């Protein structure tokens, strides 16, 4: 890796340990570099077979070729192909080809990545500033570049174990009776669930860090009561602080200069849910400390997880823009021409109020008293620094605890202390398909703990879409059903009996796999290797490189979701080895089939889900709980197709202590000697392992199951 620095870049905090030496002349083999006014333009020819990967949370494919992408964090509820930016900015790109190169452009303003769009044979990167740091790689293996990037930016966030459970959200469950009712439904219907979300309506008038006491009287007792039933309540946190005399957060923020300013050094104002607000300046360490402490009230009431929204930051409108329109109307009125106003133009102008670039250009930050930083240059840091405020605070105040935190907006580096969700998708099959690619793309930049709103946020979901989406989400570390206000209810009992029964089975599969899913997460996060990977990470053949509707989770599960309506099956590509195809109807049924490498059309009616286990890899399952840690079953089931030798390491911990501080290990070795299986187990910190027995269900090439019990 080489590092280059030009101008006076703002320190984004993305890189944890800066290299000893920065080059002052930028030379990247194969790249033409042009400095034009205040822009740097990097151009490189792409060979026909080059594959371009990276860029994190963006629409489009896993192979990024043929499209443009812009890093400028954007609140958009319409994820359609013409959208060139979403909520996060991850300016890390990899060119995989005869020569493998990678670039991380550490600049938190706008960068345009034209990946063979304008000219199919060229990658052109336009950086809209000359103040930046740039890290670049040339490696024999492209995978090394990804791992090196994750090391450079500090690794991967690990959430508490309960956050791997199923979670239920809606905008909004408005009050305690409704939350109680939802929680009751889960337990009554036997659908496992670990968390219920509080969207904006729990607050008093959308004032951040308040609770409406009419709707949630005795909130602390309520949080405790829910927790006893195995539910974590997760409140939403928005950054905009309502301008209202007497409101403590506002008063403190105002008095201590915690807010971003405008050009006149007045606190900048923007309207969001609460009406006019100020935006905390999270570049200031004092402000982060103040904001971090504001979470304490909730933490003391028993809250252990938060989701940060609206932190691109989203702006509904500002008075600056509003005044312009009023002035226009006034002068038309004064001139007696109000009837001549062009309503379509007026409508466009008003629509443009939302997240107006001119407004972002009116914002200033003051990371220290001597420093003034123009927002437009560091726009992409807002959400990342907001999450950092929380992470720094809990690290300092509760060093012995692990919290759930995920954010809508993010910037490279924030994957080490926060997860993300992919924002306001819709109940569209296209967005289920997009979710497959997004999981891969997010994992390639280290956001393992991420996921889409299951069932879709906007628009109305229907039973088949819900079931297929749930099936995919068994392998999405963040597994959360969420829907927008005004849309059809999409809790799993809202459709029909069959859908309810089947969703229960899918979620129980998730809980059955949880020891393995969680262990793999810890293991991959620990070595900075993506947990969810495109096939080309593991396999070198051309078809693997082309496959964008399947992915690999951990050591050996191939996930091939159904993402079309009315499908009864799909084509699945299985590279290199043999695979144990599991037709899952429910976690305890073992309808297994051995498949040779190659292309298969496999039937998969709605009541089934396809899961593929790679030859000579093992997975682990346990009897599903209704919430994580409810009973801690003492039997672990191990399964896989073993033709030679397989090894499985299960990492386990309490799930609430700091990651990696309390790990115990169960290791299982299976050897096939002429279809006679020798099983060996090894443990580290055995007393802390929840399991006492292992039941190995090992398949041989004839498809016979060999069941071997073992005590540990
Ligand atoms: O302007 O809090 O992405 O998950 O339900 C919309 C209401 C604000 C956007 C989030 C969504 C959340 C919604 N929020």
């Amino acid at each position: 890796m080489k590092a280059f620095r030009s101008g006076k870049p703002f320190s984004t905090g993305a890189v944890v340990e800066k290299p000893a030496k920065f080059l002052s002349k930028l030379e990247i083999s194969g790249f033409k570099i042009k400095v034009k006014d205040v822009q740097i333009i990097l151009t490189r020819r792409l060979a026909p077979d080059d594959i371009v990967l990276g860029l994190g949370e963006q629409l489009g494919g896993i192979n990024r070729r043929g499209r443009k992408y812009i890093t400028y964090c954007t609140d958009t509820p319409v994820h359609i192909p013409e959208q060139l930016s979403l909520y996060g900015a991850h300016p890390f790109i990899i060119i995989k080809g005869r020569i493998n190169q990678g670039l991380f452009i550490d600049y938190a303003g706008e960068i345009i990545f034209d990946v063979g769009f304008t000219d199919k044979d060229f990658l052109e990167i336009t950086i809209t500033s000359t103040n930046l740091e740039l890290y670049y790689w040339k490696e024999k293996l492209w995978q090394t570049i990804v791992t090196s990037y994750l090391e450079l930016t500090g690794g991967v966030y690990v959430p508490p174990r309960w956050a791997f459970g199923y979670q239920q959200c809606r905008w909004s469950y408005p009050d305690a009776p409704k939350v109680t009712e939802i929680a009751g439904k889960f337990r009554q219907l036997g659908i496992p669930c670990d968390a219920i979300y509080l969207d904006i309506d729990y607050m008093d008038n959308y004032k951040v860090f308040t609770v409406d006491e009419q709707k949630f009287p005795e909130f602390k007792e309520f949080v405790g009561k829910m927790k006893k039933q195995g539910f974590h309540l997760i409140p939403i946190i928005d950054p905009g602080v309502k301008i209202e005399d007497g409101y403590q957060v506002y008063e403190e923020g105002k008095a201590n200069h915690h807010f971003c300013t405008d050009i006149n050094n007045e606190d900048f104002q923007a309207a969001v849910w609460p009406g006019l607000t100020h935006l905390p300046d999270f570049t200031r360490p004092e402000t982060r400390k103040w904001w971090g402490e504001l979470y304490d009230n909730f933490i003391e009431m028993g809250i252990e997880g938060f989701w940060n929204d609206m932190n691109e930051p989203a702006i509904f409108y500002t008075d600056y823009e509003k005044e312009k329109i009023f002035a226009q109307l006034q002068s038309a009125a004064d001139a007696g021409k109000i009837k001549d106003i062009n309503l379509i133009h007026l409508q466009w102008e008003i629509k443009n109020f939302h997240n107006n670039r001119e407004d972002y250009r009116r914002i200033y930050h003051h990371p220290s008293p001597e420093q003034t930083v123009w927002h437009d240059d560091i726009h992409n840091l807002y959400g990342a620094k907001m999450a950092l405020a929380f992470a720094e605070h809990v690290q300092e105040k509760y060093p012995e605890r692990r919290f759930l935190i995920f954010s809508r907006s993010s910037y490279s580096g924030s994957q080490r202390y926060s997860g993300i969700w992919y924002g306001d998708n819709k109940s569209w099959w296209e967005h289920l398909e997009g979710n497959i690619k997004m999981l891969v793309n997010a994992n390639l930049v280290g956001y393992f703990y991420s996921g889409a709103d299951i069932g879709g946020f906007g628009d109305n979901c229907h039973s088949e879409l819900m079931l297929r989406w749930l099936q995919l989400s068994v392998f999405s570390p963040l597994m959360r059903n969420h829907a927008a206000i005004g849309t059809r209810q999409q809790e799993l009992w809202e459709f029909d009996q069959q859908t309810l029964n089947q969703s229960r089975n899918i979620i129980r599969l998730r809980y059955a796999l949880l020891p393995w899913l969680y262990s793999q997460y810890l293991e991959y996060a620990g070595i900075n290797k993506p947990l969810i990977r495109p096939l080309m990470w593991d396999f070198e053949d051309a078809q693997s490189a082309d496959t964008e509707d399947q992915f690999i989770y951990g050591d050996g599960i191939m996930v091939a979701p159904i993402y079309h309506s009315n499908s009864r099956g799909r084509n699945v590509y299985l590279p290199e080895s043999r695979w144990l195809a599991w037709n899952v109807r429910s976690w305890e049924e073992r309808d297994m089939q051995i498949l040779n490498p190659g292309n298969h059309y496999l039937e998969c009616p709605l009541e089934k889900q396809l899961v593929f286990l790679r030859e000579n890899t093992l997975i682990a399952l346990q009897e599903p709980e209704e919430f994580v840690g409810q009973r801690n079953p003492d039997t672990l089931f191990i399964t896989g197709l073993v033709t030679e030798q397989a090894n499985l390491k299960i990492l386990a911990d309490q799930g609430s202590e700091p990651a990696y501080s309390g790990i115990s290990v169960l290791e299982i070795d299976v050897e096939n000697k002429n279809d006679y299986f020798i099983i060996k187990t090894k443990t580290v910190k055995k007393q802390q392992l929840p399991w006492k027995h292992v039941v190995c269900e090992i398949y041989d090439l004839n498809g016979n199951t060999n069941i071997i019990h073992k005590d540990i």
Side-chain angles (χ1 to χ4, degrees):
M1 187 199 71
K2 286 186 181 154
F4 160 79
R5 179 188 281 154
S6 109
K8 285 207 179 93
F10 180 78
S11 184
T12 66
V15 169
V16 277
E17 216 176 299
K18 294 276 173 86
K21 195 177 118 214
F22 281 96
L23 303 171
S24 53
K25 185 159 169 48
L26 185 58
E27 273 172 334
I28 316 176
S29 66
F31 276 85
K32 262 215 224 112
I33 295 156
K34 247 192 342 213
V35 180
K36 205 177 116 198
D37 307 324
V38 289
Q39 299 188 332
I40 299 180
I41 301 167
L42 312 173
T43 316
R44 180 200 195 269
R45 180 175 271 284
L46 295 172
D49 290 341
D50 283 347
I51 289 173
V52 179
L53 300 160
L55 300 178
E57 190 189 17
Q58 286 281 1
L59 295 174
I62 295 171
N63 184 347
R64 294 309 200 172
R65 284 187 78 157
R67 212 185 132 85
K68 254 195 199 183
Y69 310 83
I70 295 177
T71 60
Y72 200 82
C73 296
T74 305
D75 159 31
T76 167
V78 194
H79 303 178
I80 52 177
E82 68 180 48
Q83 192 66 41
L84 302 187
S85 315
L86 293 176
Y87 313 87
H90 314 108
F92 170 55
I93 194 164
I94 305 139
I95 302 121
K96 168 186 183 299
R98 207 175 45 80
I99 301 165
N100 296 306
Q101 284 180 302
L103 302 178
F104 168 46
I105 303 159
D106 192 7
Y107 168 62
E110 178 175 344
I111 306 172
I112 301 142
F113 292 88
D114 182 330
V115 190
F117 176 76
T118 304
D119 182 330
K120 70 177 174 35
D121 297 321
F122 283 91
L123 165 67
E124 184 175 271
I125 303 171
T126 306
I127 309 162
T128 62
S129 170
T130 51
N131 299 311
L132 56 92
E133 282 171 10
L134 202 157
Y135 300 83
Y136 53 108
W137 294 261
K138 190 169 161 188
E139 298 287 343
K140 234 165 92 201
L141 298 174
W142 67 275
Q143 294 91 332
T144 311
I145 299 172
V146 176
T147 297
S148 176
Y149 164 80
L150 292 178
E151 282 165 3
L152 182 76
T153 55
V156 175
Y157 164 73
V158 178
R161 186 173 148 95
W162 60 262
F164 288 79
Y166 173 78
Q167 312 184 35
Q168 185 66 50
C169 190
R170 180 166 181 93
W171 175 15
S172 295
Y173 298 128
D175 51 27
K178 186 73 199 179
V179 174
T180 307
E181 177 197 322
I182 296 288
K185 276 278 196 186
F186 276 103
R187 294 298 174 250
Q188 172 207 334
L189 297 170
I191 303 173
C193 181
D194 267 270
I196 297 177
Y197 281 72
L198 303 181
D199 207 324
I200 46 177
D201 298 293
Y202 78 87
M203 289 179 267
D204 168 19
N205 271 307
Y206 304 125
K207 282 181 278 186
V208 62
F209 296 114
T210 68
V211 175
D212 184 325
E213 284 173 10
Q214 301 283 304
K215 297 174 183 165
F216 290 94
E218 297 174 20
F219 189 62
K220 183 175 178 181
E221 286 65 37
F222 184 61
V223 173
K225 199 174 110 197
M226 284 295 123
K227 196 154 344 138
K228 277 217 189 80
Q229 299 171 29
F231 293 99
H232 284 86
L233 293 188
I234 306 182
I236 195 169
I237 304 291
D238 286 1
V241 173
K242 186 174 176 62
I243 299 176
E244 186 185 281
D245 289 337
Y247 165 39
Q248 199 187 336
V249 180
Y250 164 75
E251 297 286 359
E252 286 176 12
K254 183 112 194 127
N256 298 296
H257 311 287
H258 286 315
F259 299 130
C260 295
T261 66
D262 63 17
I263 192 138
N264 302 318
N265 221 16
E266 302 285 340
D267 291 343
F268 177 80
Q269 299 192 3
V272 258
W273 289 108
L276 282 180
T277 65
H278 291 316
L279 294 170
D281 181 357
F282 297 114
T283 67
R284 290 179 81 220
E286 303 81 2
T287 301
R288 287 203 299 277
K289 185 164 191 302
W290 167 67
W291 189 263
E293 285 168 358
L294 289 170
Y295 289 83
D296 276 346
N297 197 15
F298 280 135
I299 294 174
E300 281 154 19
M301 292 197 275
I303 300 282
E304 296 177 303
F306 299 91
W307 55 312
N308 287 347
D309 190 20
M310 303 290 278
N311 50 9
E312 294 68 32
I315 292 180
F316 289 171
Y317 65 83
T318 60
D319 280 352
Y320 312 92
E321 287 296 310
K322 224 167 77 177
E323 297 304 334
K324 279 206 255 171
I325 298 275
F326 289 163
Q328 198 183 316
L329 292 175
Q330 189 64 53
S331 75
D334 291 349
K337 289 191 173 158
I338 196 81
K339 288 207 170 125
D340 295 343
I341 290 275
N342 184 325
L343 286 182
I344 284 295
H345 285 168
L346 187 64
Q347 187 199 350
W348 284 337
E349 281 181 65
I350 292 174
K351 261 199 184 148
N352 272 332
F353 279 3
H354 191 208
N355 305 324
N356 190 308
R357 185 70 181 262
E358 287 312 309
D359 280 330
Y360 292 123
R361 294 187 164 132
R362 293 188 169 104
I363 307 176
Y364 293 85
H365 297 261
H366 306 277
S368 66
E370 311 77 54
Q371 244 181 318
T372 298
V373 181
W374 189 36
H375 177 80
D376 208 51
D377 262 339
I378 58 163
H379 173 75
N380 297 333
L381 283 182
Y382 198 81
K385 294 281 182 196
M386 179 184 176
L388 182 64
F390 177 79
E392 285 174 339
H393 173 65
V394 294
Q395 163 69 31
E396 156 142 7
K397 175 131 188 212
Y398 312 96
E400 74 299 343
R401 293 176 66 182
R402 202 189 311 170
F403 291 89
L404 173 63
I405 178 79
F406 63 97
S407 170
R408 196 169 68 177
S409 186
S410 60
Y411 179 74
S412 290
S414 73
Q415 86 285 342
R416 71 175 173 268
Y417 50 80
S418 159
I420 56 170
W421 90 100
Y422 310 145
D424 299 344
N425 62 358
K426 296 216 192 265
S427 301
W428 297 344
W429 289 95
E430 290 82 351
H431 282 182
L432 170 54
E433 181 178 359
N435 191 177
I436 303 172
K437 301 172 212 283
M438 192 66 101
L439 277 164
V440 172
N441 288 326
N443 268 255
L444 282 173
V445 292
Y447 294 93
F448 296 10
Y449 195 78
S450 65
D453 290 349
I454 298 170
F457 175 75
D459 212 344
N460 297 311
C461 186
H462 123 276
S463 55
E464 187 197 5
L465 178 62
M466 176 52 80
L467 288 171
R468 293 302 194 191
W469 213 317
L470 273 178
Q471 291 176 345
L472 161 64
S473 303
V474 167
F475 299 97
S476 173
L478 167 60
M479 186 189 200
R480 184 182 75 148
N481 178 336
H482 183 33
I485 195 165
T487 62
R488 180 178 180 177
Q489 292 295 131
Q490 62 187 41
E491 294 80 11
L492 305 164
W493 49 84
E494 292 286 350
F495 300 94
D496 52 79
Q497 189 62 38
Q498 207 183 329
T499 305
L500 165 64
N501 292 343
Q502 218 183 314
S503 8
R504 183 193 298 112
N505 282 340
I506 300 168
I507 296 173
R508 278 168 59 82
L509 173 67
R510 161 75 167 218
Y511 279 72
L513 284 169
L514 209 132
W516 183 80
L517 294 169
Y518 178 67
S519 166
Q520 295 283 298
Y521 189 111
L522 286 172
E523 195 165 324
Y524 280 74
I527 56 174
N528 291 316
K529 175 173 166 182
L531 173 69
I532 288 174
R533 306 184 296 288
L535 275 57
M536 67 185 110
W537 183 289
D538 295 61
F539 304 102
E540 277 173 23
D541 61 286
Q543 195 174 346
S544 285
D546 258 9
T547 303
E548 300 220 346
D549 60 355
Q550 302 177 201
F551 60 78
I552 300 168
Y553 185 105
D555 282 345
I557 285 195
M558 171 77 79
V559 182
I562 301 269
Y563 54 91
H564 286 154
S565 58
N566 303 305
S567 284
R568 305 182 154 273
R570 61 162 285 172
N571 289 306
V572 177
Y573 174 57
L574 298 174
E576 213 165 277
S577 65
R578 276 169 288 224
W579 296 77
L580 190 61
W582 182 11
N583 298 293
V584 196
R585 273 193 195 75
S586 67
W587 84 276
E588 60 269 67
E589 246 179 70
R590 300 283 185 273
D591 176 1
M592 304 283 199
Q593 176 190 2
I594 294 166
L595 295 174
N596 285 320
N599 292 291
H600 302 270
Y601 176 81
L602 297 173
E603 282 184 12
C604 186
L606 189 55
E607 62 277 10
K608 274 205 326 200
Q609 168 166 16
L610 294 166
V611 173
F612 304 90
L613 314 183
R614 196 175 176 189
E615 181 176 4
N616 294 319
T617 53
L618 301 167
I619 58 164
L621 304 106
Q622 69 180 16
E623 170 91 35
E625 302 174 278
E626 289 199 332
F627 55 91
V628 172
Q630 179 198 20
R631 284 179 282 113
N632 290 321
D634 66 0
T635 304
L636 195 65
F637 300 88
I638 308 291
T639 192
L641 163 67
V642 181
T643 56
E644 285 162 25
Q645 206 258 331
N647 172 276
L648 174 68
K649 240 205 271 170
I650 292 284
L651 313 182
D653 62 11
Q654 296 295 313
S656 54
E657 73 282 55
Y660 305 105
S661 68
I663 297 221
S664 48
V665 185
L666 168 61
E667 207 174 327
I668 295 141
D669 252 306
V670 180
E671 206 188 324
N672 181 336
K673 285 214 163 148
N674 302 319
D675 290 349
Y676 177 77
F677 293 92
I678 302 166
I679 312 239
K680 287 189 196 135
T681 58
K682 255 201 294 196
T683 56
V684 178
K685 294 198 195 163
K686 181 172 151 184
Q687 295 73 12
Q688 285 169 38
L689 285 169
W691 307 289
K692 305 274 169 282
H693 319 283
V694 173
V695 180
C696 295
E697 308 168 349
I698 308 300
Y699 291 80
D700 60 31
L701 264 189
N702 305 315
N704 295 327
T705 338
N706 300 266
I707 301 195
I708 302 132
H709 290 253
K710 229 180 144 132
D711 289 338
I712 12 175

